[in-house]
Amino acid sequence: AQSVTQLGSHVSVSEGALVLLRCNYSSSVPPYLFWYVQYPNQGLQLLLKYTSAATLVKGINGFEAEFKKSETSFHLTKPSAHMSDAAEYFCAVTPGAGSYQLTFGKGTKLSVIP
Amino acid sequence: DAGVIQSPRHEVTEMGQEVTLRCKPISGHDYLFWYRQTMMRGLELLIYFNNNVPIDDSGMPEDRFSAKMPNASFSTLKIQPSEPRDSAVYFCASSTGKQTQYFGPGTRLLVL
């Protein structure tokens, strides 16, 4: 079985500051990992995904995440926050290529302070 | 290209009534997923289909919930009878093969 823990249900950063959203996972097999973003009253949109290729994954809107097997982490970062980044972010895991079952974390709501 | 389409976007009903949520996946996608999102439990997978056939319904909470996919372009999630604890946002997602799941905008259900 797999699980995802997102540290911090709510993170606030100033506009222009570094964004760091934390995600730790557990999986009995090599995982595939995803970050999704949800804007208010909208569905989830894929930001980026790790599928056992490069450990540093670049996504849309300037976000990136690094897969660290030794730390079982997949933290999401962005060098400079923009007001439009305010949303809820979800980390998700699926146990490798053979499964379609995404297990989501509880989400982290990002606020950007002008 | 149109994304995943869900209807209705909002539904308010009274306890005991039947509720039907609808989903049109992206054309050409052969996997369809139904999720439920609540504050308490987060996002949960309810059921998914491959080529219109239900593959895993272990996430369906109880017999009051049922899902069908009569053809490649349409799926329904039905709750009968509905209860206040069913209030949530229900998402439909679709994908092709083992690729990224694309989510619809969701149906916000309130059962009074």
Side-chain angles (χ1 to χ4, degrees), chain B residues 28-98:
Chain B
H29 283 191
D30 53 353
Y31 284 84
L32 184 139
F33 306 81
W34 282 100
Y35 290 88
R36 178 172 67 175
Q37 185 181 37
T38 62
M39 291 290 290
M40 291 297 295
R41 300 174 67 90
L43 270 159
E44 305 171 280
L45 177 65
L46 300 177
I47 185 172
Y48 78 90
F49 296 82
N50 176 218
N51 291 324
N52 313 337
V53 176
I55 303 300
D56 185 352
D57 66 354
S58 59
M60 296 285 263
E62 47 196 279
D63 292 345
R64 297 184 297 106
F65 286 70
S66 62
K68 294 182 180 180
M69 192 165 186
N71 58 61
S73 59
F74 183 65
S75 177
T76 60
L77 178 68
K78 189 172 291 187
I79 308 172
Q80 166 64 18
S82 58
E83 296 183 2
R85 60 194 168 116
D86 301 331
S87 298
V89 182
Y90 291 82
F91 288 103
C92 177
S94 70
S95 71
T96 177
K98 297 181 174 66

Side-chain angles (χ1 to χ4, degrees), chain A residues 36 38 41 43 46 49 97 100, chain B residues 9 31 91 97-98 100-101 104:
Chain A
Y36 280 85
Q38 185 180 27
N41 299 315
L46 182 71
K49 62 181 177 181
Y100 302 88
Chain B
R9 291 294 308 275
Y31 284 84
F91 288 103
K98 297 181 174 66
T100 302
Q101 292 182 26

Side-chain angles (χ1 to χ4, degrees), chain A residues 37-94:
Chain A
V37 60
Q38 185 180 27
Y39 297 101
N41 299 315
Q42 294 187 27
L44 279 72
Q45 179 183 2
L46 182 71
L47 272 179
L48 50 81
K49 62 181 177 181
Y50 166 77
T51 57
S52 73
T55 56
L56 181 62
V57 182
K58 294 187 184 298
I60 61 172
N61 301 339
F63 284 92
E64 64 181 36
E66 186 172 8
F67 172 68
K68 291 187 176 181
K69 183 179 178 180
S70 61
E71 299 176 10
T72 61
S73 69
F74 191 57
H75 301 330
L76 182 71
T77 60
K78 181 175 180 177
S80 176
H82 192 271
M83 295 298 294
S84 61
D85 295 326
E88 190 156 18
Y89 292 80
F90 293 89
C91 182
V93 63
T94 187

Side-chain angles (χ1 to χ4, degrees), chain A residues 28-39:
Chain A
S28 55
V29 297
Y32 282 9
L33 293 155
F34 305 79
W35 276 100
Y36 280 85
V37 60
Q38 185 180 27
Y39 297 101

